[in-house]
Amino acid sequence: MPGVFIDSDLNDDERRRRLYSGDIFISCATDTTRELIALAKKMLDEAFAPHDPRTIHKHMTPEEVAAILSTMKPAFIHHPECKRLIPLIMKESGVDLDKLYFDVPRMRSAYPSHFLSSGIAYAFHPHRDTWYSAPMCQLNWWLPIYSIDPDNAMGFYPDYFNVPVRNNSEIYNYYEWNSKNRATAAQHVKTDTREQPKPQQELNSQSLRYLPPPGGIIIFSGAQLHETVPNTTDFARYSIDFRTVHIDDVVAHRGAVNLDSRCTGTTMRDYICAADGRPLPEGIVKLYDDGTATSDKILRFGDRLVETPAA
């Protein structure tokens, strides 16, 4: 059974090794993470004024909320303060910024399930990020913006970290998703018809829910099986997440073991260096390409998000 580390003092090399083995790390909030969630709260408050963003489902229709999110979420992704704060969070966590690459921070929203759980507020079924073309060395960093509850949190299935799950990840190609499906997220309000990788079997354990305080961080491998817990509370859950890779692990192909991922394409072009913002060298990215990339479909996440809705 994987372990859970709370405010661990392990160095980054050992932490990554344990994360690739299925352990999960939870850290308390810091001044920098509080600054990041304060930015998110400010943007949420302004977008939904005069209403509380956590109870906006009582005042607006799903269509109205989706329309607001389609503008606000890309604005958060591209806010210059995000690119400034995330490297500082990494530095606080003992990471060498010259070797760390991160992708854009996403703001997530999970509304009461009867209200809005598709498209731009998609409630994710159990999945591994590696079913979505993520590399096996990807690490996920997840922060709640407000206090969360077991019934509106994120759920984990650590029993399956070393157990294959029957799934249909072969349907997913990252380049196809970016070029055809991502920009239509806000159009899926009542239902979401976009095909996505899902388990093709019943899971035999209930998900575990970890509840860090606002600004606290859950760090886990992209190979962890996790889900958006169906929100049965009367409050929306808002969170921030971003993903990282360490260039030494990228080059050496270190990471979690690939048990069951059969997707194509790669997310490697989404990562930028925490020290100076440069992208991963194309020669290194090509180590992960599989021949499905074409010039018209190679898009970095965020390329079209200033003008069009984001997932």
Side-chain angles (χ1 to χ4, degrees):
M1 179 71 173
V4 179
F5 290 78
I6 310 293
D7 276 343
S8 169
D9 58 1
L10 292 177
N11 65 38
D12 184 50
D13 288 342
E14 179 63 13
R15 180 174 59 206
R16 296 198 319 276
R17 187 188 71 78
R18 289 182 176 272
L19 287 161
Y20 298 152
S21 298
D23 291 339
I24 292 172
F25 285 70
I26 301 176
S27 301
C28 289
T30 67
D31 288 344
T32 310
T33 62
R34 291 188 188 98
E35 194 173 349
L36 181 63
I37 65 170
L39 170 65
K41 284 182 178 179
K42 180 175 183 292
M43 296 180 71
L44 284 163
D45 286 342
E46 291 174 351
F48 291 121
H51 307 295
D52 185 333
R54 293 167 292 182
T55 56
I56 196 62
H57 53 283
K58 297 180 180 181
H59 305 283
M60 291 186 176
T61 66
E63 291 80 4
E64 289 170 333
V65 170
I68 289 173
L69 294 177
S70 71
T71 299
M72 188 201 63
K73 285 189 174 183
F76 178 80
I77 284 172
H78 293 284
H79 200 291
E81 279 296 281
C82 288
K83 288 185 178 179
R84 181 183 72 85
L85 290 170
I86 289 175
L88 294 179
I89 293 170
M90 299 295 96
K91 189 174 182 179
E92 288 176 339
S93 301
V95 182
D96 182 344
L97 299 189
D98 287 314
K99 294 190 173 185
L100 186 87
Y101 287 70
F102 70 96
D103 70 354
V104 296
R106 298 149 169 91
M107 185 190 294
R108 308 287 188 180
S109 46
Y111 296 96
S113 299
H114 67 275
F115 180 75
L116 179 62
S117 59
S118 61
I120 202 161
Y122 190 75
F124 274 94
H125 47 272
H127 69 284
R128 308 186 201 272
D129 281 15
T130 52
W131 294 352
Y132 288 79
S133 307
M136 302 309 296
C137 59
Q138 177 181 290
L139 300 180
N140 295 11
W141 303 64
W142 187 92
L143 305 79
I145 297 172
Y146 302 94
S147 295
I148 53 176
D149 180 276
D151 292 322
N152 69 3
M154 182 165 55
F156 293 86
Y157 293 87
D159 287 350
Y160 286 95
F161 188 81
N162 294 310
V163 177
V165 174
R166 207 161 59 245
N167 68 84
N168 62 340
S169 57
E170 69 278 356
I171 70 170
Y172 188 87
N173 176 271
Y174 190 61
Y175 308 126
E176 290 283 337
W177 180 264
N178 266 359
S179 60
K180 293 182 179 178
N181 292 317
R182 190 181 298 282
T184 66
Q187 300 171 20
H188 298 265
V189 177
K190 299 298 184 183
T191 59
D192 199 319
T193 58
R194 299 173 298 172
E195 280 197 308
Q196 302 196 42
K198 296 180 180 179
Q200 302 296 299
Q201 67 176 69
E202 292 293 324
L203 302 178
N204 60 15
S205 63
Q206 186 176 18
S207 64
L208 299 177
R209 291 90 188 265
Y210 306 114
L211 309 176
I217 305 176
I218 305 176
I219 312 170
F220 59 99
S221 166
Q224 279 283 2
L225 192 68
H226 61 288
E227 67 177 352
T228 303
V229 172
N231 188 349
T232 57
T233 75
D234 204 25
F235 294 92
R237 184 261 287 168
Y238 297 94
S239 60
I240 299 166
D241 64 76
F242 54 91
R243 296 80 178 270
T244 63
V245 295
H246 190 285
I247 195 165
D248 290 350
D249 296 342
V250 171
V251 172
H253 281 274
R254 284 192 291 265
V257 175
N258 184 358
L259 298 175
D260 53 23
S261 299
R262 297 180 302 279
C263 51
T264 53
T266 180
T267 62
M268 279 298 194
R269 291 180 179 84
D270 293 346
Y271 296 102
I272 61 172
C273 181
D276 58 18
R278 70 184 185 278
L280 268 172
E282 187 64 19
I284 293 177
V285 172
K286 286 188 180 300
L287 297 175
Y288 289 79
D289 255 333
D290 54 16
T292 62
T294 58
S295 60
D296 60 320
K297 293 180 180 176
I298 294 179
L299 299 173
R300 289 178 172 83
F301 183 85
D303 278 353
R304 297 178 176 174
L305 298 185
V306 175
E307 295 84 12
T308 56

